[in-house]
Amino acid sequence: MVSRLVLVLGDQLTAGLSALQQADRSRDVVVMAEVAEETDYVQHHPKKIALIFAAMRKFAATLGEEGWDVRYTQLDDSQNAGSIVGELLRRAEETGAAEVLVTEPGEWRLIEKLKHAPIKTHILQDDRFIASHQEFERWAEGRKQLRMEYFYREMRRKTGLLMDGDKPVGGKWNFDHENRKPAPDDVGFGGPMQFTPDEVVEEVLALVEARFGAHFGDLHPFWFATTQGEARRALSHFISKALPKFGDYQDAMLADNRFLYHAVISAYINIGLLDPLEVCEKVAEAYDAGDVPINAAEGFIRQIIGWREYMRGIYFLEGPDYPDRNVLGHDRDLPALFWGGETQMRCLSKAVEQTRAEAYAHHIQRLMITGNFALLAGIDPYQVHAWYLAVYMDAFEWVEAPNTVGMSQFADGGIIASKPYVSSGAYINRMSDYCKGCAYSVSQKTGEGACPFNLLYWHFLNRHRDRFKGNARMGNMYRTWDRMDDCKRETVIAEAEDFLKKLETGETV
Ligand code: FAD
Ligand code: DLZ
Ligand code: SF4
């Protein structure tokens, strides 16, 4: 019987992947390929490319040991066709296969390419998620607002995680109000588990250095897990050492502590090394054993079965044009400071510096430092989206675009966020230690040295007044603005305009 090709993509490194489940090991051929089309659609951080290639090579080796016929193409193979579809056609000719099985990719771009490939391609559901597309569509149907909180409750009921019959454990669905402590002086967690590169990783690092050394981001040191076993060890390390404090300090930021009590496992989950449900079950077990408080366990589980699933639901519900949305009409170019250009703003400079070093920033750094600044400054959301997609290790469009375009930039008009995530410097000062030692003064509202977030915050509210004045959650903001005397308001706007001009002309701000 003629074999079929089983395509396994770089973020599908899961033994139970639907395409592998439906294939026949005795006759079908697994295709995996490192290709320029995937490495080049944005200028990925070198650490991200290295993680994906190293984990792909090891996953391919495991499949081979399990008896699969795996045809693996390395990036520098002379026969490399340069694209996923090109590689499928080459392998089809080589094996005589006439059909392809693939689990649905996490990006419209690639789905479209596979749908139109000149070889019969069966796209199977990606069942590594808790909610299928159909379930999300059913949940969304007829609702005026698609609030994550209600979807999350459905997911709690469905999984039974932290449930006592049909009631949430602890008597409440959400303990978020306990999860807003400012940054602690001392962090008693030394960061995520690190792994020494083995031969396979070293070989990939040499390739990535040679091919992608010019991309934004430091390749070394490279300490990530590249197998399921290592990723599971990293998860256990997080659960025992950091999870108990995860909730308390979830929103805190420190200039010299890049990970605080965060898990740093999103990339492992997103490429398939960790199963999201299994991760949550381990967390629930730690709660049941009395090792972690409810605010930590609930807060963590909500991020995964709530936010993560919800973001995916929105991406596929909204369709391929989602990353292009721009309801606020923002059109300023992304300033060079996002790529490490000089800036006096310590919060931004530190967030970008750690992004360059680690391909990682935690949620509040992404949302309330870089994201907040881009939104206040009116940067074109597509450019913001392309930046996030490139620079973070965990960035795949299905999860990155809703977080950036929707949650962070409000460019979807409020499908995800009920109000824009904007703040002045006061919030950043409360939640971090960035403002100490900044060239700007966070307490200064106007004049030489005033924190740019203080100026831009009012500029944003003022320029979008028509859109947001009726938003009940923003009433206080507008009342405060309206109480300011006219002269002060004019000064704020004029100074904000000056700042934006400097940003546009490339002056250091
Ligand atoms: P923790 O803080 O320890 O949280 C635990 C887990 O919860 C994460 O590993 C992740 O799987 C999940 N999670 C938490 N928040 C979210 C969220 N908002 N959406 C989806 N999953 C979530 N996450 C990505 O996985 N890929 C992205 O490309 C991405 N882009 C983002 C862009 C912006 C502008 C913002 C504001 C957030 C983005 N996030 C993205 C969400 C979040 O910032 C990361 O998931 C988180 O920082 C990963 O670090 P961690 O593993 O230490 O997470
Ligand atoms: C992100 C990425 C990169 C950098 N390289 C590859 C690759 O060479 N081969 C591959 O199969 N996948 C790669 N990926 C992941 C894909 O881009 C990802 O599968 C799609 O964006 C869909 O989520
Ligand atoms: Fe950022 Fe303003 Fe604080 Fe400086 S003073 S670190 S610019 S918030």
Side-chain angles (χ1 to χ4, degrees), residues 238 246 250 261-267 269-270 300 303-304 307-308 311 360-364 366-367 371 388 392 394-396 399-400 403-404 407-408:
F238 161 73
F246 169 84
Q250 201 180 336
Y261 293 98
H262 289 274
V264 198
I265 55 164
S266 46
I269 304 180
N270 294 351
F300 188 86
Q303 304 311 312
I304 295 188
W307 281 112
R308 185 173 185 274
M311 291 301 186
Y360 177 84
H362 71 67
H363 187 68
I364 295 301
R366 297 187 206 194
L367 188 64
Y388 280 99
Y392 291 113
D394 55 20
F396 298 91
V399 56
E400 177 280 326
N403 269 296
T404 304
M407 181 186 249
S408 164

Side-chain angles (χ1 to χ4, degrees), residues 345-347 425 428 434-435 438 440-442 451-453:
M345 290 181 278
R346 188 161 182 261
C347 52
I428 297 172
Y434 289 135
C435 302
C438 179
Y440 292 103
S441 161
V442 71
C451 167
F453 282 87

Side-chain angles (χ1 to χ4, degrees), residues 268-462:
Y268 304 152
I269 304 180
N270 294 351
I271 67 170
L273 298 183
L274 289 177
D275 176 65
L277 189 56
E278 188 186 316
V279 168
C280 293
E281 280 164 356
K282 291 254 160 31
V283 168
E285 273 168 31
Y287 168 75
D288 288 340
D291 297 337
V292 294
I294 185 70
N295 68 311
E298 187 283 316
F300 188 86
I301 286 174
R302 174 160 28 89
Q303 304 311 312
I304 295 188
I305 67 168
W307 281 112
R308 185 173 185 274
E309 292 285 328
Y310 169 84
M311 291 301 186
R312 177 175 186 259
I314 296 286
Y315 179 74
F316 281 103
L317 188 71
E318 288 298 312
D321 76 312
Y322 189 79
D324 302 315
R325 304 218 183 147
N326 186 3
V327 299
L328 299 180
H330 285 170
D331 59 3
R332 212 161 258 117
D333 283 337
L334 192 77
L337 67 89
F338 276 78
W339 299 108
E342 202 186 336
T343 175
Q344 307 287 327
M345 290 181 278
R346 188 161 182 261
C347 52
L348 274 167
S349 137
K350 285 285 178 185
V352 171
E353 178 187 303
Q354 93 158 65
T355 299
R356 182 204 285 277
E358 312 284 359
Y360 177 84
H362 71 67
H363 187 68
I364 295 301
Q365 293 169 314
R366 297 187 206 194
L367 188 64
M368 298 311 291
I369 306 293
T370 41
N372 187 12
F373 182 79
L375 179 56
L376 293 179
I379 313 293
D380 169 9
Y382 190 84
Q383 294 186 38
V384 182
H385 149 67
W387 183 79
Y388 280 99
L389 190 57
V391 302
Y392 291 113
M393 181 84 125
D394 55 20
F396 298 91
E397 199 177 87
W398 64 267
V399 56
E400 177 280 326
N403 269 296
T404 304
V405 175
M407 181 186 249
S408 164
Q409 299 302 297
F410 206 84
D412 66 359
I415 294 170
I416 288 177
S418 54
K419 74 174 180 51
Y421 282 93
V422 284
S423 83
S424 66
Y427 172 85
I428 297 172
N429 191 33
R430 189 164 66 248
M431 299 311 294
S432 79
D433 64 354
Y434 289 135
C435 302
K436 290 180 208 136
C438 179
Y440 292 103
S441 161
V442 71
S443 57
Q444 218 177 302
K445 312 285 185 233
T446 55
E448 188 69 26
C451 167
F453 282 87
N454 293 344
L455 301 168
L456 295 177
Y457 175 71
W458 295 120
H459 190 276
F460 173 89
L461 290 177
N462 188 53

